Each structure stands twice: as C-alpha cells, then as structure tokens.
C-alpha cells in the first residue's frame, strides 16, 4: 500500500488547519520539532563533551545575528540590516526573503552556561558549540517493571 499526498486544491472549503492535518507529509512528524517556514533549518549534534548546533541562515552577515543565553534559553535572532531593498518591476516571481527570524531553544540542564559558547558563521551556516557540565553525569539506564 502506498500513501498518496492529499490535494488541498480539490476541496477549497477546507481551511488550512484541516488541510495540514490531512497532509501526509506531516502525518508521521514529531510534534517536538514544530516546523515554521520563517525559522532557519537547524541540526543539533550531541557529542561527549558538547552540543553542536548548526543553523542555515543565508543572506545575513555576522553583525545581523544576535545569540544570547538567559534562564536556560538559547535565543538566536537576526534582522537584515538592509532596510531599503530596491524593488524592480521585471520580477515574475520573487521568493528570496531574508528579513528576520527569532528562534528560542530550551537548553538541557547538562549545558554549562558559565562556559564560553563558541560561535562561527561561514557560508550561511551559523555553528554554536555549547560545552557540557563536567560534574553532571547522565543517570544510568533503568528498566521499569510493568505490573
């Protein structure tokens, strides 16, 4: 059996919420990763000593991006400094848009917030390295008996 993508255009009276619920692409998606087209794509890697976070933020410069940590929240935002974008009339379709984004992430309790965060921006990729706490150890795996 194969899944067939639902065609939203065949039923114009269905609103966006119902259509997105019926969309097979998101049917098996995890609710933890809420997808928003205005947010940059993100990769998170957990290593033994640190977390590595990569965000795809093309079209911004280093001075446009602000990264802060406060109360276990990593806040990454950017606003394009090019306020004046000259509009040309010969566009048939224009999809490039690098205006701004604002993304907040809850940090796990094993991130050392006093340690310096390494940040690097190269070729449209923002890479952050957050060190783990040395004292905090992972709890051992426990097997739960089911009654």
């Amino acid at each position: 059996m194969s899944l067939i993508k639902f065609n939203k255009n065949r039923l114009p009276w269905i609103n966006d919420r119902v259509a997105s619920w019926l969309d097979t692409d998101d049917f098996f998606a995890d609710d933890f990763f809420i997808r928003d087209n205005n947010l940059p794509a993100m990769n998170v890697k957990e290593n033994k000593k640190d977390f590595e976070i990569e965000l795809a933020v093309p079209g911004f410069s280093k001075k446009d991006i602000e990264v802060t940590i406060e109360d276990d929240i990593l806040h990454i935002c950017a606003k394009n400094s090019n306020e004046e974008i000259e509009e040309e009339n010969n566009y048939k379709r224009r999809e490039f848009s690098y205006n701004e984004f604002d993304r907040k992430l809850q940090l796990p309790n094993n991130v050392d917030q006093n340690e310096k965060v390494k940040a690097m921006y190269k070729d449209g990729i923002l890479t952050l390295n957050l060190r783990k706490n040395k004292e905090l150890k992972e709890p051992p795996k426990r097997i739960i008996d089911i009654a």
Side-chain angles (χ1 to χ4, degrees), residues 17-111:
R17 282 191 183 267
V18 174
S20 67
W21 180 74
L22 293 172
D23 192 0
T24 57
D25 288 344
D26 292 334
F27 189 68
F28 297 106
D30 188 356
D31 288 341
F32 183 74
F33 297 104
I34 298 172
R35 296 182 195 157
D36 186 350
N37 293 339
N38 297 327
L39 294 178
M42 176 178 69
N43 296 328
V44 179
K45 287 192 263 183
E46 182 175 5
N47 303 317
K48 286 186 177 187
K49 296 182 179 182
D50 64 354
F51 288 96
E52 184 177 328
I53 301 172
E54 299 173 321
L55 282 99
V57 288
F60 291 98
S61 67
K62 283 193 257 187
K63 64 181 179 178
D64 296 335
I65 302 169
E66 181 180 309
V67 181
T68 59
I69 295 179
E70 184 178 6
D71 298 329
D72 295 335
I73 303 292
L74 175 66
H75 184 206
I76 306 163
C77 61
K79 187 168 187 176
N80 203 335
S81 61
N82 299 334
E83 296 287 330
E84 295 291 322
I85 298 174
E86 190 173 313
E87 294 291 328
E88 294 183 25
N89 295 330
N90 56 351
Y91 280 107
K92 294 287 185 194
R93 182 175 182 146
R94 188 171 183 175
E95 294 183 353
F96 286 7
S97 175
Y98 307 114
N99 296 327
E100 62 183 39
F101 72 87
D102 192 335
R103 186 151 198 180
K104 295 179 182 178
L105 302 168
Q106 175 73 42
L107 295 175
N109 58 358
N110 62 342
V111 170

